[in-house]
Amino acid sequence: MPTAMITGASGGLGSALADVLAPTHTLFLASRPSSRLDAVAERLGATTWPIDLADPGSFEAVVEPIVELDVLIHNAGVAYPGRVAESSVDEWRSTMAVNVVGTVALTLELLPALRSAAGHVVFINSGAGINASPGLASYTASKFALRGFADSLRADEPSLRVTSVHPGRIATAMQEDLVAYEGRDYNPDEFLSPQTVAQLTADAINAPPDAHVREIVIRPR
């Protein structure tokens, strides 16, 4: 079976992506070590890969055994709710380190394996990567940067398929934190389910080889 690495695979959208791809792909679940990650891997018969996107210096040794990779899904990310005036430089630094620099660094380490497989790189971006979201200043900036990196990768690596996924708000733990910041009660029915976003992402990955789905924009009905 083709191989797929998913970052941030321990819960939420990451585990939903693992669920939907498990029947068709050999999974490499990449995240910081945790019991939640182990549980997902055990349930799906997948392999765990200890990766901390804030520590790109460790990537080379971790991914060295991978000589071919069919799919790389960048799902991990952080968000610090706050408008521009409320944000701190440390929050900006942390957001960019994980959402942008770590993602770029992991892609570069895996680029030879992706080229060998004529692979597919998927960036789980956000609606905030298209239009700025109030109260998510550093997150929005990081997602705009991530979209630019995806576009550059697509232009510079024509043998690869590169897809940016821009969902609206998803019913995840991150969403609960944002709703709490907004001072509202959390109702998951107001948001996209992780399973819906995962299925649409899998549809792009499993598209026929002559199709290149470059961008997916998803909003709650």
Side-chain angles (χ1 to χ4, degrees):
M1 287 198 295
T3 53
M5 175 176 281
I6 305 169
T7 68
S10 61
L13 180 55
S15 62
L17 287 163
D19 285 337
V20 76
L21 288 177
T24 55
H25 290 73
T26 298
L27 298 180
F28 304 152
L29 305 182
S31 186
R32 287 178 291 185
S34 70
S35 58
R36 292 175 65 202
L37 182 68
D38 291 341
V40 175
E42 183 176 354
R43 176 166 53 83
L44 298 176
T47 303
T48 60
W49 291 77
I51 287 177
D52 181 354
L53 289 179
D55 182 22
S58 67
F59 295 168
E60 182 179 3
V62 172
V63 306
E64 190 270 337
I66 302 175
V67 295
E68 282 197 0
L69 183 63
D70 295 283
V71 181
L72 172 60
I73 303 178
H74 290 293
N75 170 69
V78 297
Y80 298 96
R83 296 177 183 271
V84 171
E86 301 166 344
S87 64
S88 71
V89 171
D90 285 344
E91 288 173 348
W92 281 82
R93 185 178 290 113
S94 176
T95 302
M96 294 298 174
V98 173
N99 293 4
V100 183
V101 177
T103 298
V104 171
L106 184 58
T107 303
L108 293 178
E109 288 294 344
L110 288 168
L111 197 52
L114 289 160
R115 287 170 174 162
S116 294
H120 193 161
V121 184
V122 178
F123 296 88
I124 302 299
N125 199 296
S126 170
I130 298 175
N131 296 297
S133 291
L136 282 172
S138 62
Y139 180 78
T140 293
S142 74
K143 292 300 185 178
F144 267 77
L146 194 64
R147 184 183 185 190
F149 175 59
D151 290 347
S152 295
L153 182 65
R154 189 184 302 112
D156 290 343
E157 296 290 334
S159 69
L160 304 182
R161 295 198 292 185
V162 179
T163 302
S164 286
V165 182
H166 295 271
R169 298 172 70 162
I170 308 172
T172 63
M174 183 184 290
Q175 198 62 240
E176 290 189 62
D177 292 341
L178 179 57
V179 171
Y181 164 78
E182 294 169 339
R184 300 188 294 115
D185 292 330
Y186 177 70
N187 177 5
D189 293 337
E190 296 178 4
F191 309 113
L192 290 163
S193 75
Q195 291 74 25
T196 294
V197 178
Q199 183 58 62
L200 291 169
T201 302
D203 289 344
I205 291 168
N206 293 321
D210 61 330
H212 186 169
V213 181
R214 299 186 172 202
E215 190 170 84
I216 302 173
V217 179
I218 315 162
R219 296 290 180 269
R221 291 186 63 180

